[in-house]
Amino acid sequence: MNDTLVTLVGNAATGVEFRETATGGMARFRFAVTPRRWDREKQLWADGHTSFYTVWAWRTLALNLSGSVSVGEPLVVHGRLKVREEEREGQRRTFVDIEAVAVGHDLTRGTSAFRRVMRGEPALTARVGSADRADGPDDTGGPDDPDGPGGAGAPDASGGSRGGAARSGSRKPTGRQKAAPELVSAP
């Protein structure tokens, strides 16, 4: 198998579109890569031409992408390069796709909190405030709810999540997870 594997560093240009298919989940989003070069004469960084790619993901990666990536977030995408040509409206067009093997946040530009997803826990892949959350209809979002308004899972002004690590400790541990140690304050 002679696939061309590439690793790209850039930003999510669109939201992740997720669909269930007969073979499992499928997700896609547009990815923007802009090279930056140091201009010695002007003594500052200059942006180059932006290239756009369509990133495709399947099954578990697709589901996790839909719950983890938003527009504008810096990402690292690793996958198979696919170049195809189509004729649309009498013009020949070239499309560059990446069939993703792995996608992650670019930690040179921020922090991220990893949450392992166990099978049967779809709520961990749902975005905060998403209509397809698996928490159920009795989710009131009260002050004690970590995902409610102002809770630990609520987004902050930067679009990130406050206290994302606290959220993972609020779930019951499964056989592969260790229980978080309980914090006890001294009287």
Side-chain angles (χ1 to χ4, degrees):
M1 196 158 161
N2 294 326
D3 288 332
T4 303
L5 292 173
V6 295
T7 302
L8 304 170
V9 178
N11 294 306
T14 65
V16 177
E17 297 175 29
F18 177 80
R19 277 185 267 164
E20 280 293 336
T21 66
T23 59
M26 183 276 303
R28 74 174 180 195
F29 66 97
R30 296 285 285 163
F31 190 61
V33 177
T34 305
R36 292 180 56 90
R37 308 258 187 257
W38 179 253
D39 187 337
R40 288 184 184 184
E41 294 174 9
K42 296 179 183 176
Q43 291 295 304
L44 45 97
W45 289 97
D47 288 344
H49 176 74
T50 301
S51 298
F52 289 92
Y53 304 87
T54 301
V55 177
W56 297 86
W58 305 94
R59 293 174 284 289
T60 305
L61 178 57
L63 184 63
N64 290 343
L65 271 173
S66 69
S68 302
V69 174
S70 296
V71 176
E73 291 184 344
L75 301 173
V76 178
V77 174
H78 180 72
R80 293 175 197 86
L81 179 68
K82 307 281 184 181
V83 179
R84 59 189 167 86
E85 290 189 17
E86 292 181 10
E87 190 162 330
R88 289 189 181 174
E89 300 169 8
Q91 292 185 335
R92 225 159 155 69
R93 300 188 63 185
T94 302
F95 297 92
V96 183
D97 298 334
I98 307 296
E99 189 177 307
V101 173
V103 178
H105 286 102
D106 182 358
L107 297 181
T108 62
R109 297 177 42 207
T111 62
S112 183
F114 178 80
R115 290 183 307 255
R116 182 174 306 277
V117 176
M118 298 297 165
R119 290 182 190 210
E121 288 191 71
L124 289 179
T125 59
R127 290 299 262 181
V128 173
S130 172
D132 58 351
R133 297 227 358 231
D135 290 346
D138 62 343
D139 185 17
T140 60
D144 294 331
D145 182 7
D147 294 330
D156 62 13
S158 67
S161 177
R162 292 190 305 258
R167 177 181 161 99
S168 65
S170 65
R171 301 220 182 260
K172 291 182 181 179
T174 61
R176 295 175 69 188
Q177 292 176 315
K178 293 182 181 177
E182 294 290 318
L183 299 177
V184 181
S185 59

